[in-house]
């Protein structure tokens, strides 16, 4: 008995359109190109076994898919109940066939065969235990087939992600859910960690080893950036030099290791651990600006007059060797800035706070890195090689809000910026920073765009080709924008998962807290929760009125243990 109508064959009628099935958000399905929206009632019948990304033929009269002309290799995460007595069948090889529950609202439940139960029982030495005692498990699966007589598609197991409820398993689910690259580095020969020579050869460098400071969070393991101050004989600040780890010194473009790094594009910060973009020994040691260790760096030199004004036309960019004098945590550096703690760098930090007009060490570091990024971006753009970070939308607070809320809003806007290669002059702006020609240069240990910018900068300094073509850089920008959108989605989902575990552990699953609505787009309200320092995206019902943006309100947070969707584990009620 057929559960779905069989697919039609060409030629297609005038009222039948072809395109790719796209899912923008829950309740938003389209046929592209053209943006034809699908009615959402009786959706399973209308989709007629089509999956997101499939090339389909859609009948506008009957309002349903009548053919799938090209299948994508759809992959998604499901959960199987290993203790269930309801097994759908058994394959010739002895694998059990399960009804697997989808953990991704874009994809349906499916049938999948797996020998996981037998493998776990053997590993436990409990082959006699046939039905109970085994937790549900997450599987990463790939679409195989879906006939008109099957209620659900058949899928093949690709990877076992671990037990349901285990934090590490759920992190792996979110990595796969967002199609991020997190494989272990292959066993390739690591680069020689020897340093370049001073004053000779093609890679001529300047040595900096006097009172160089690196200030980072207490938990930091990778140190990208440092800085130091130089003074006149009268004690005034005459130069500020920002030093950034020269990661590209170790990883030549298109080498085997660099190709692996390019697949990752960024360090992934999970709840339980991080997955470095570059090999661990370089991220946490050999490239990292650690105290009393000399490292290859790229330095940006800012000159100042005796009145504390920068001499912009005297900016310099140098290949350098830098030896950090002190690695400081923000907490210690703040006490030094505020005069609560003696330190050899006390005068430097206090003068920097005054010169940059900031109040603490975090703001000192942030201002210096923004300044370096902007200087490099502007210099490269003037020479026709600008990899520019652009942003045209910034919803600033419309009323007075606490500093932490204003800071969150600015950082949130910055994360939504996009990379463009050599955009038109009137499209180089970064709205939330109020700058043009801004780039990413200061975090090459954890961000691939910074490595690209380093190569472009070194190319302009040396007069040698960077190894990139303009067409390749344009394509890389598109790749970076797509991938970083996925990273932002995973970060949001991780924050909800972190909140879920904290609510259960500390507040018995329910808690009331302060909130600030910060943005409203397409029916979705974004709310900032200061107590947890995270954003919650809340879809308003059609009968709900949008609260005033940036006005404090109280909300209830409740954990939801029933849903299979990790990003919906916490419910917010206004």
């Amino acid at each position: 008995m057929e559960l779905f109508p069989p697919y039609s064959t060409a030629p297609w009628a005038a009222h039948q359109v072809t395109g790719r099935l796209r899912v923008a958000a829950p309740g938003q399905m389209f046929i592209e190109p053209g943006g034809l929206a699908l009615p959402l009632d009786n959706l399973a019948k209308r989709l007629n076994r089509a999956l997101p990304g499939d090339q389909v033929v859609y009948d506008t009269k009957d309002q349903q898919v009548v053919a799938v002309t090209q299948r994508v290799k759809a992959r998604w995460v499901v959960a199987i109940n290993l203790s269930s007595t309801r097994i759908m069948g058994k394959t010739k090889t002895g694998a059990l066939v399960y009804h697997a529950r989808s953990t991704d609202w874009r994809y349906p439940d499916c049938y999948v065969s797996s020998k996981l139960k037998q493998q776990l029982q053997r590993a436990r030495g409990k082959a006699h235990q046939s039905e109970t005692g085994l937790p549900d498990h997450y599987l990463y699966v790939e679409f195989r087939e879906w006939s008109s007589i099957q209620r659900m598609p058949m899928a093949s197991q690709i990877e076992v992600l671990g037990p349901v409820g285990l934090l590490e398993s759920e992190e792996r689910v979110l990595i796969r859910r967002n199609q991020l690259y997190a494989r272990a580095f292959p066993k390739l020969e690591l680069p020689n960690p020897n340093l370049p020579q001073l004053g000779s050869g093609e890679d001529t460098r300047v040595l900096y080893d006097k009172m160089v400071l690196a200030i980072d969070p207490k938990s930091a393991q990778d140190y990208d950036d440092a800085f130091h101050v130089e003074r006149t004989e009268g004690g005034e600040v005459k130069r500020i030099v920002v030093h950034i780890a020269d990661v590209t010194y170790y990883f030549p473009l298109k080498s085997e290791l660099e190709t692996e790094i390019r697949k990752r594009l960024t360090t992934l910060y999970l709840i339980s651990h991080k997955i470095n973009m570059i090999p661990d020994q370089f991220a946490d040691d050999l490239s990292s600006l650690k105290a009393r260790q000399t490292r290859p760096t790229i330095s940006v030199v800012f000159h100042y007059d005796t009145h504390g004004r920068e001499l912009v036309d005297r900016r310099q960019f140098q290949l350098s060797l830098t030896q950090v004098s002190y690695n400081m945590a923000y907490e210690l550096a703040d006490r030094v800035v505020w005069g609560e703690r003696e330190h050899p760098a006390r005068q430097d930090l206090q003068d920097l706070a005054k010169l940059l007009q900031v109040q603490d060490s975090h703001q000192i570091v942030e201002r210096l890195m923004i300044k370096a990024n902007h200087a490099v971006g502007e210099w490269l753009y003037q020479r026709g090689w600008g990899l520019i970070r652009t942003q045209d939308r910034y919803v600033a607070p419309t009323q007075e809000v606490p500093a932490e809320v204003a800071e969150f809003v600015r950082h949130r806007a910055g994360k939504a910026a996009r990379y463009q290669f050599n955009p038109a002059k009137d499209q180089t702006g970064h709205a939330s920073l109020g700058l043009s020609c801004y780039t990413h240069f200061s975090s090459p240990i954890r961000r691939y765009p910074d490595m690209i910018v380093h190569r472009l900068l070194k190319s302009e300094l040396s007069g040698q080709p960077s190894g990139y073509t303009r067409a390749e850089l344009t394509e890389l920008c598109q790749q970076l924008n797509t991938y970083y959108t996925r990273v932002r989605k995973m970060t949001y989902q991780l924050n909800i998962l972190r909140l879920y575990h904290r609510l259960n552990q500390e507040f018995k699953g329910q808690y009331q807290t302060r909130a600030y609505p910060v943005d409203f787009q397409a029916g979705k309200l974004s709310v900032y929760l200061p107590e947890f320092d995270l954003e919650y995206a809340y879809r308003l019902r059609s009968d709900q009125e949008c609260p005033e943006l940036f006005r404090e309100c109280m909300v209830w947070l409740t954990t939801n243990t029933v849903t299979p969707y990790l990003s919906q584990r916490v419910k917010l009620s206004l």
Side-chain angles (χ1 to χ4, degrees), residues 152-367:
M152 300 181 297
M154 295 293 297
S156 302
Q157 173 185 311
I158 298 174
E159 183 182 6
V160 177
L161 301 179
V164 172
L166 185 69
L167 178 60
E168 290 80 359
S169 303
E170 292 171 340
E171 289 175 332
R172 286 191 285 271
V173 167
L174 294 180
I175 289 172
R176 298 292 178 267
R177 160 75 171 79
N178 291 286
Q179 299 176 300
L180 301 178
Y181 192 91
R183 307 292 184 185
F185 271 95
K187 293 182 179 179
L188 299 172
E189 184 178 352
L190 294 177
N192 189 332
N194 290 342
L195 296 174
Q197 298 297 311
L198 283 170
S200 63
E202 294 183 2
D203 197 349
T204 303
R205 295 183 181 248
V206 181
L207 176 65
Y208 290 105
D209 59 356
K210 307 296 183 185
M211 198 53 66
V212 180
L213 307 177
I215 306 177
D216 294 274
K218 189 182 296 184
S219 60
Q221 296 174 296
D222 50 352
Y223 307 110
D224 289 284
D225 55 84
F227 59 89
H228 81 275
V229 173
E230 297 178 6
R231 301 176 180 277
T232 65
E233 291 183 359
E236 293 94 353
V237 173
K238 68 175 182 179
R239 279 192 292 269
I240 300 173
V241 188
V242 174
H243 310 284
I244 306 299
D246 184 4
V247 175
T248 60
Y249 170 76
Y250 297 108
F251 304 106
L253 183 63
K254 297 176 183 174
S255 63
E256 286 186 291
L257 268 174
E258 199 277 341
T259 301
E260 282 295 316
I261 292 169
R262 185 164 169 169
K263 293 176 183 177
R264 287 156 175 77
L265 295 179
T266 184
T267 292
L268 297 179
Y269 293 92
L270 308 177
I271 299 172
S272 64
H273 66 294
K274 66 171 180 163
I275 301 174
N276 285 317
M277 180 184 74
I278 66 177
D280 293 349
Q281 54 267 63
F282 282 86
D284 300 336
D285 186 12
L286 297 175
S287 291
S288 199
L289 304 186
K290 291 187 170 183
R292 296 176 295 282
Q293 301 295 321
T294 303
R295 299 287 188 247
T297 49
I298 301 179
S299 299
V300 184
V301 184
F302 300 99
H303 294 260
Y304 288 81
D305 64 18
T306 55
H307 301 289
R309 294 173 299 207
E310 188 200 344
L311 305 172
V312 176
D313 59 340
R314 294 186 59 189
R315 288 176 179 172
Q316 294 173 274
F317 308 96
Q318 303 170 332
L319 297 183
S320 53
L321 291 175
T322 299
Q323 185 179 110
V324 168
S325 307
Y326 298 97
N327 287 116
M328 303 174 71
Y330 285 123
E331 293 81 357
L332 170 60
D334 282 345
R335 294 181 63 192
V336 174
V337 171
W338 300 333
E340 299 174 0
R341 176 77 177 264
E342 286 297 329
H343 193 278
R346 176 174 172 176
Q347 191 64 52
D348 287 350
L349 288 174
Q350 290 181 337
D351 284 352
L352 280 173
K354 182 178 179 181
L355 185 69
L356 300 171
Q357 299 181 328
V358 296
Q359 305 298 318
D360 58 44
S361 62
H362 190 281
Q363 292 174 327
I364 289 174
V365 174
E366 183 181 53
R367 290 287 179 88

